Amino acid sequence: MSAPGAVLARRPVGGGGDSGHPDPGRPGFGSLLAQVALVVICAGYTTGASLGWGSPQLALFMGDFGLSAAALTAAVSCFLYGRAHRGSARPAWLLFAFSSFMASAGNAVWGWYEVVLRTEVPDSSIADLFFLLFAPPAIVGLLVLAKKPVTRAGWVCLALDAWLIGGSLLTLSWSLALARTAHFQNEPVAQAALSLAYPLLDIVLVSMVLVLHFRRSQANRSATNTAIAALALTVLCDALFTSPLLRENYASGQLLDAGWFAGSLLLAYAPWGVRRIPDSAVTPRGQWLHSRPVAGSLAALTPYLAAAVCTLGILYNVVEGRRVDRVVVLTGCTVVLALVVRQGIMLLDNIALTHELAQKENHFRSLVQGSSDVIMIAAPSGILRYVSPAASGVYGRDAEELIGSELASLIHPEDLGAVVHEVRRFLAVSPADEPTTRIECRFRSGRGDWLNVESTVNRHQGGLIFNSRDVTERVRLQAQLQHNAEHDPLTDLPNRALFTRRVRQALSGRRASDAGTAVLFIDLDGFKGVNDRLGHQAGDDLLVQAARRLHDSVRAGDTAARLGGDEFAALILGDGGRDQGARQKQVQEIADRLRLTLSRPYRVDGGNEVRVAASIGVAFAEPGIGAGDLLRNADLAMYRAKAAGKDRVELYAPQMQAEVVRRTELAARLRTALHDGEFALLHQPVVDLATGRISAVSAQARWRSAQGILFTPAEYLRVTDDSERTADLGRWLLEEAVEQAAERAGTGHRTPVSIRLSARRLLDRSLPLGSIESLLTRHGLPSGSLIVELADSDPRIPLDELEQRLVTLRRLGVRIALDGFGSGHVAINALRRLPVDILKLDRGLVEGVVESARLRKITRGVLRIADELGMQTVAEGVDVPEQVVALRAMGCTHAQGMAFSGPLDEYRLRRALVRDEFPLPGAVPARVGNRPPFRSHTETPVPPT
């Protein structure tokens, strides 16, 4: 037997009891206790009745008022249940309550005569009325509990079944006893009618009990069965009471009363004592599969059994030699007629059902055969007993070929264990809790390949039904979507999410203690320039080639990934070696080779050759480190490589993280420094090298933090990328410098103030148009008192817009200085296009001017160009007297630096302006010409104000 066959052949213990769910039909502890109490009370009453209760008076009391109390208990119980529970059975329980109340009242009246009045009960009393009213409500209640027919023929059959049972019982009862009772023998008509009413009502009640037994509803079946048993016991006692033999010798308190007593208590117990099954609960097929044929057979034999009983009644009269009573003949004829009519109805109904069944069978056969899904039925042994014709289109194999084969032979060996486990779990669960399950595995096709098949599985006579469909395309699409979600669409390398997951996997399991695992973060230096010059198509081509080189450079077990933009990463798994130093050296060599590989020229966009460099950061795994921390360390090392000059490899060191923490804290404090007034404005004098007098002052901001630390602009501006905060600082510097310069001009010190602004800031849309103009107007700063030092080296700045902006400022008397000449991108193009008055030499040209003859020649050439263009020159960073002497000799007109003075606060600045002269080293004055200090050149004269 195959593995699935072995699973199918197993039956779950207890019909699903292993599932852990309690049986809803099993009584609980409270119900069991009520059953024990019911048995004990009934047994006690039966014992007392059989022993005579010890005294005649107690026997009369228990036989009358005891029965009344039991019937009243049943009435109250059924009434409370009917009031508390709403549903289709509610009217039946209320009718049972009324019926039991009538029985209680009849017994109470009977006891009133026998116990209280101590007289015999009259032949016709009000007790008889109460007893006669017991049966009709109970009969109607049983009709309410019966399963309602859905057609008119069903209602007719229900009535015929009731008459068949009632007529048969009437025939038999009439033949045995009622015929004698029917002879009035000088009795009053009312008395004779009353004598016949009791047995006739009991016959009707018995008929309804028998009919209901085969037609009862599935809802709350336990309570219904208990109520039927209670009424059947009561009717049996009534039948015994109405027999002439017992009727003549009956006395209250005898054993017959125990039956009525038990019937009343059983009816009181019926709605509460048995655990109630909800109406919506569906009985599992396997639990009533074997009992249904028995019940159906008895229901089908009911008409014939009734006719047999009727025939026995007639035969009894014939055998006894009696004249056949007209009542027996009439009743027998109606029973036979009812049987014939019922059989005719059933025959027509069977013909209609057969026709309908044939139509439905053809319909479902066409559905199964025309369905695109494959329907398979597997026997308990695991052998396929049926396969639908769709198998030829789905599996590429004929259905006849598959029938008789084992289910295990179709399933992929790698999926067989999971299928067996799921089938075993499914069969162990109750069918009511999980009617179906879903299995997905690979099936062997007739073409020799494996198909991804999804099957819905149902139970079927101990085996399983598989409703299967081919989902191979869906599985492939899901795999493709999964691949797309984890890989970069341009280079097809793993993306950041997949790379992070693989790093996490490398740091867990058996590699958790392998410190040789390393992560490389790679950034392509110069890629943005390729995008700007040649376009994004060329940039994408470069990224694809770089990704291919990176993928080819790592080992098979390693991972190369693209994190985004021009950033890549590589995971180098450790080799398990113990020598950490040798492993670090090996990984660094791999990173160097990778840097050289990525730095080779690329052919992009139809043959253009471009070059980019690679900055690589390397971080090694440490015991206990997480994936996020390892990636962060590699990222920090990569940024250190870029800051150190690019095109290099840097290994992570703990100091890098400390530097990041310090810069982060500094940037956070910088956000509130302006608001808290921690910034101060200092001015450094710009000295005329011909006279030693102060020609201008350069405004500089200093940040003195709350901790007392003084930061220069180079220190606090490089710790933040917050352009908004930088803009706020630039606006503050401009406003403070103009305001203080206006105050000094009001006291007679009209020394111009120089403010360093970037070209990007001058063209920034966030800077209000005309803000510089409005400042000059608001503070009344004289013309020529403001110098704007242009300090942007970005070649992407549009020179046309910048030129237009500078021309507008020069017309207001603002002089323009070109800062940082000799470094970066400040070039001849700026001198040719922009209206510049002053040329500021970069500190790099000044620092080595004394020691380097080559640098002196370069500086002299720059100064000669400025002189021929009519520009004044300012040397920045002049810190020693020898530099002053050298610059004067080369023709530099102005200088600022520690050789004269450092940045001064407002008080020291005014003292220096009052003195207005710094000593100049050297005896021979430099040639300065006849130009006044810091004037505009004649090419773009400043209009008079």
Side-chain angles (χ1 to χ4, degrees), residues 422-443:
E422 175 60 21
V423 170
R424 181 177 300 172
R425 185 203 63 79
F426 174 63
L427 293 178
V429 178
S430 171
D433 297 333
E434 189 174 356
T436 64
T437 188
R438 191 179 299 272
I439 294 176
E440 187 169 334
C441 60
R442 286 169 288 179
F443 271 36

Side-chain angles (χ1 to χ4, degrees), residues 503 506-508 511-519 571-574 580 583-584 618-627 629-631 633 652:
V503 171
L507 298 179
S508 60
R511 294 186 177 274
S513 59
D514 189 355
T517 299
V519 170
L571 171 64
I572 309 298
L573 298 178
Q580 183 67 15
R583 177 58 179 168
Q584 290 186 1
V618 182
F620 287 91
E622 301 174 356
I625 193 172
D629 294 338
L630 182 59
L631 296 178
N633 294 345
Y652 170 78

Side-chain angles (χ1 to χ4, degrees), residues 339-349:
L339 180 61
V340 172
V341 173
R342 188 184 187 281
Q343 289 302 107
I345 294 175
M346 294 303 296
L347 180 60
L348 294 177
D349 195 23

Side-chain angles (χ1 to χ4, degrees), residues 38 93 221-231 263 266-267 269-271 274:
L38 178 64
W93 295 108
R221 193 165 48 173
S222 298
T224 303
N225 289 338
T226 307
I228 292 174
L231 294 175
L266 193 61
L267 184 61
Y269 167 78
V274 181

Side-chain angles (χ1 to χ4, degrees), residues 300-603:
L301 291 176
T302 300
Y304 304 102
L305 294 176
V309 171
C310 183
T311 304
L312 288 176
I314 298 174
L315 290 177
Y316 176 78
N317 287 332
V318 174
V319 171
E320 291 292 327
R322 301 176 183 176
R323 181 177 61 87
V324 179
D325 195 286
R326 286 177 296 177
V327 175
V328 174
V329 174
L330 180 62
T331 305
C333 291
T334 55
V335 169
V336 173
L337 180 61
L339 180 61
V340 172
V341 173
R342 188 184 187 281
Q343 289 302 107
I345 294 175
M346 294 303 296
L347 180 60
L348 294 177
D349 195 23
N350 287 337
I351 294 174
L353 289 176
T354 303
H355 182 66
E356 182 181 358
L357 181 61
Q359 288 183 339
K360 289 184 177 180
E361 184 178 355
N362 293 332
H363 175 68
F364 284 107
R365 182 181 291 109
S366 62
L367 287 179
V368 170
Q369 293 181 352
S371 175
S372 59
D373 293 350
V374 180
I375 299 176
M376 301 183 298
I377 300 178
S381 60
I383 303 299
L384 294 177
R385 296 305 185 193
Y386 173 80
V387 180
S388 66
S392 59
V394 176
Y395 299 149
R397 303 172 67 177
D398 293 336
E400 293 77 8
E401 178 185 352
L402 294 175
I403 294 176
S405 60
E406 289 188 355
L407 185 62
S409 64
L410 295 176
I411 302 175
H412 195 283
E414 296 178 0
D415 301 339
L416 184 58
V419 172
V420 171
H421 175 76
E422 175 60 21
V423 170
R424 181 177 300 172
R425 185 203 63 79
F426 174 63
L427 293 178
V429 178
S430 171
D433 297 333
E434 189 174 356
T436 64
T437 188
R438 191 179 299 272
I439 294 176
E440 187 169 334
C441 60
R442 286 169 288 179
F443 271 36
R444 185 189 302 275
S445 71
R447 298 175 293 273
D449 58 346
W450 294 97
L451 302 176
N452 293 93
V453 175
E454 181 185 65
S455 302
T456 303
V457 185
N458 300 77
R459 299 172 179 85
H460 176 69
Q461 297 180 355
L464 294 174
I465 297 179
F466 291 84
N467 191 349
S468 307
R469 62 202 63 88
D470 183 8
V471 293
T472 304
E473 290 300 323
R474 190 194 71 185
V475 172
R476 290 176 182 173
L477 179 59
Q478 289 176 344
Q480 183 63 40
L481 292 177
Q482 182 70 21
H483 178 85
N484 294 342
E486 296 179 339
H487 290 76
D488 176 57
L490 179 64
T491 62
D492 203 39
L493 290 180
N495 58 14
R496 182 182 293 270
L498 180 57
F499 183 75
T500 303
R501 184 161 68 250
R502 291 188 179 178
V503 171
R504 189 178 296 111
Q505 293 172 354
L507 298 179
S508 60
R510 63 182 183 86
R511 294 186 177 274
S513 59
D514 189 355
T517 299
V519 170
L520 280 62
F521 263 44
I522 306 161
D523 185 83
L524 300 182
D525 304 318
F527 171 75
K528 187 171 181 56
V530 175
N531 258 351
D532 294 338
R533 293 196 315 271
L534 302 179
H536 290 282
Q537 183 61 39
D540 291 345
D541 191 9
L542 189 150
L543 290 176
V544 171
Q545 296 184 43
R548 189 180 302 114
R549 294 182 186 182
L550 177 61
H551 182 269
D552 295 340
S553 299
V554 299
R555 299 173 303 179
D558 299 334
T559 301
R562 183 191 177 201
L563 305 183
D566 59 345
E567 291 188 355
F568 294 85
L571 171 64
I572 309 298
L573 298 178
D575 55 4
R578 298 296 182 182
D579 191 349
Q580 183 67 15
R583 177 58 179 168
Q584 290 186 1
K585 183 178 180 181
Q586 179 185 8
V587 172
Q588 189 167 9
E589 291 177 355
I590 294 174
D592 280 326
R593 288 198 303 269
L594 185 57
R595 178 183 62 83
L596 295 175
T597 300
L598 295 176
S599 300
R600 294 202 310 266
Y602 296 86
R603 293 278 182 180

Side-chain angles (χ1 to χ4, degrees), residues 80-93:
L80 293 178
Y81 184 83
R83 284 284 303 274
H85 295 78
R86 298 185 180 273
S88 59
R90 182 189 183 192
W93 295 108

